[in-house]
Amino acid sequence: METIIENIESVKNRIDKAGFGNRFDKEIDEAVAAGKTEICPFSSEVIENKRMDFEPEIKIKDNKAYYNGFKATFYNDDGTTVSQWFKAADRVSINEAYILMVDQQQPRAVHKTYFDDQSQKYGAWIQLDFNQKTDSGNHLTKRYGDFDLVTKLGDFDFVELSSERQKISAAAYMSEGREITLTPVNQEKYSQVFVRANPERGTFTFMDAEGKLLYHDQFRTQEARERIQQEKNTRQASVSFVKDNGSKPSADEQSNALENSDNQKKNSNPDSETLKPNKSPRVVQEAGIQRGKSI
């Protein structure tokens, strides 16, 4: 008697939405007909001239099928590979897996929309940490809350961000984990800057053509610099700098106290997964990564 898996079509639909389309439908049907309890079909893709292998996992138990996610393997230009398991609950597509894995030196982040237990929609960023692993051997997945990219972009003086529509377009593109190319209004040092979202700090990552990180302040508008300086002054005034003996601390001690306060805030986002040190060398993407999109 043929086994009837009533939810097999919904599983196929989830695999389709993950970016695989219906390429595995026949293989799934044949496996179910053969009474198999686990299916891990294989697919090799070329995404933006980079090879990636994918293995979705489908398990069958008590006449029900479960799509658990997929394993992705990214091939670096130097012949090394890096692998990651993406669980189904995170709803990562194969293109998003590519974005998350393409740059292991400066990992990119992807914005996702989820629903909580009360069916309320919320946004979150996910990013891989190639320096840390979980107990299962997976690279740590870091998760960050939303921040307003469009408003943040208004702090910076770039030719392509002169209108609100341009800012919205740039924010949407970076939400996909993409890198964009912008032209500073003041081109004294740089004719082009490569920009990515940086949800860990609620801002952006600026780089030159060689991938060197650049200071933000040189690209800010005058209004933004004045506002940020005022905010720093206000924060500094609100921090207590009274020493144990009641004497007034030095300027260096005040600066160190303020810096420690800032660092505590930045590090106050604990990860929910168990960490395991990665003893293997850090995998660094070779030069030649496709640069950002001009907008």
Side-chain angles (χ1 to χ4, degrees), residues 121-250:
K121 185 167 67 173
Y122 69 95
W125 292 83
I126 59 175
Q127 183 181 45
L128 300 182
D129 186 339
F130 293 95
N131 283 328
Q132 300 185 81
K133 286 190 174 183
T134 64
D135 290 336
S136 64
N138 229 22
H139 296 289
L140 179 70
T141 299
K142 291 187 172 181
R143 306 173 193 278
Y144 304 104
D146 250 337
F147 72 102
D148 190 341
L149 279 76
V150 176
T151 299
K152 287 282 187 180
L153 285 172
D155 285 347
F156 299 98
D157 218 2
F158 291 105
V159 173
E160 295 85 358
L161 301 180
S162 57
S163 72
E164 191 71 8
R165 176 171 292 187
Q166 287 175 310
K167 294 184 184 73
I168 293 172
S169 176
Y173 200 72
M174 284 190 286
S175 292
E176 298 175 358
R178 302 290 180 172
E179 181 182 86
I180 62 174
T181 306
L182 297 177
T183 307
V185 171
N186 179 2
Q187 299 184 39
E188 183 178 340
K189 290 186 177 180
Y190 305 99
S191 59
Q192 284 187 324
V193 176
F194 301 93
V195 187
R196 303 176 186 175
N198 185 344
E200 181 178 9
R201 296 184 179 274
T203 182
F204 308 98
T205 296
F206 294 137
M207 295 175 289
D208 64 12
E210 282 72 46
K212 178 183 176 182
L213 298 177
L214 304 175
Y215 291 107
H216 289 60
D217 208 46
Q218 61 189 312
F219 305 114
R220 286 193 174 101
T221 64
Q222 181 63 32
E223 293 81 4
R225 285 198 295 270
E226 292 174 355
R227 188 193 75 244
I228 291 171
Q229 185 58 52
Q230 180 60 42
E231 290 172 353
K232 287 182 179 178
N233 293 341
T234 302
R235 256 184 24 240
Q236 188 167 357
S238 67
V239 176
S240 175
F241 294 121
V242 179
K243 297 170 69 175
D244 291 341
N245 60 11
S247 61
K248 185 177 180 180
S250 66

